[in-house]
Every structure is written in structure tokens, then in C-alpha cells.
Amino acid sequence: MIRIAVTGASGFCGGHVARAAAARGAQVVCVGRRPGPVGEHRFWDAAGELPDLAGTDLVVHCAAAVGDPAPGSPAEAEMHAVNVGGTERLLRAAGGRPVVWVSSASVYDPRPDRSLVGEGHPRTGQLNAYGRTKAEGEALALAAGAVVLRPRAVYGPGTRRCSPASCPGCGRGPCSCRARTSCSA
């Protein structure tokens, strides 16, 4: 049976990945500060230590610091420590295991015409620290041979916050539809 390490399994994306892997028969090791929804928990502070990946066959790296911290702030430094330094430490600990690295569409050049975004779209000129640190971490992951995914507008069952893009009936702020099976008003 395959053992999958899922970082950030206590978060929205990582939790869905962990549950889906377990539902398909994988043994799941949730690696992060808080336990995930299934499987074994191994504590990992991505900002400063190597994760324990012993006995796992592959890694899905969903852990990330999110937000829009002020330039030069301690929060921006923490975001860099997690999204870039944490990626570097994770890749070192993976030791040749396959890694799937969950990035973000925030790495792309934010031109007005977003319809032109494709694999070759420039990954420069990010609008904030989140986009910059995800782009820097992604470059490390790609250089190490990881598979990189760039989801956009992530939402669904369990969504805590909605936006008009993800749930037109909710507006911005706390999700009023979280009891439903999908994020729709």
C-alpha cells in the first residue's frame, strides 16, 4: 500500500488531498503544525525545520503561508520562511521521492488580459509577497523535478471564505453557504 505524505493537510487543499488519498486506499501521513482530517500526524514547522518523511513513498506539498503582508514586515519574512525556505527543506527531506508541489496562479504576470495565460506565461511581476514567494518556491520545486500544479480560485465543500469569483451569491467575507455540499448560493 502506498504511503502519501501531505503537507498542510489541516488546510483546505491539503485536507481534500488527504481525504481523497485515504478514500482511494492510501495510507496518509499528514505533515504540518496541526493534524489533518485522516491518518497519522507528524508535526512540522515549515518555517524552520526538516519534515519527517520516513516511510512515505511520495509527497504532496500543500503547506503554505497565505495572505498579503506589508512589504518588509515580520509577516512577509515569515511567509518567505514558509513558502521558500520550507520548500527547500521539504525537497531536501524528500530525498528523491516524487513530489507534487501545489503552487498558485498568483505566480503569473498579472496582465489585464488573463485569457492568454498558459504554461509558458511569464512568472514575473507578482502583485504581492504571496505571489513572489510562491514563484520562488515553485522555481525550487521545478529545479528538483517536482510536478507543479497551479490552481486558481480554489473553493468547494468546506470553504471558509468566498468571493464573487468563487461564489457569486455570497459576496466577500465569511461563507454563508458552508453547510451546503458545494459553494453556491
Side-chain angles (χ1 to χ4, degrees), residues 3-180:
R3 283 179 59 104
I4 300 175
V6 180
T7 70
S10 65
F12 183 74
C13 291
H16 279 279
V17 168
R19 283 188 292 276
R24 286 163 182 77
Q27 290 181 339
V28 178
V29 177
C30 298
V31 182
R33 291 176 297 162
R34 292 178 298 278
V38 296
E40 176 188 346
H41 175 240
R42 295 184 189 170
F43 181 84
W44 177 45
D45 179 358
E49 53 192 57
L50 287 172
D52 176 6
L53 302 176
T56 62
D57 301 304
L58 70 99
V59 181
V60 181
H61 184 42
C62 299
V66 298
D68 189 9
S73 68
E76 182 182 44
E78 175 75 8
M79 182 174 280
H80 189 275
V82 170
N83 295 351
V84 181
T87 296
E88 187 175 55
R89 285 182 286 282
L90 176 103
L91 293 168
R92 195 171 346 127
R97 290 175 186 85
V99 174
V100 176
W101 198 83
V102 180
S103 185
S104 167
S106 294
V107 303
Y108 289 122
D109 181 350
R111 288 192 267 198
D113 185 3
R114 304 281 294 180
S115 66
L116 301 177
V117 174
E119 287 297 311
H121 192 80
R123 292 184 309 273
T124 58
Q126 294 83 20
L127 295 176
N128 57 30
Y130 177 72
R132 286 188 298 277
T133 60
K134 289 300 278 187
E136 196 173 338
E138 179 180 301
L140 293 171
L142 287 168
V147 171
V148 171
L149 306 176
R150 296 184 193 121
R152 176 174 170 76
V154 178
Y155 64 96
T159 297
R160 291 185 213 149
R161 296 193 67 77
C162 289
S163 71
S166 65
C167 188
C170 288
R172 295 201 182 275
C175 184
S176 62
C177 59
R178 73 180 90 159
R180 300 192 183 166

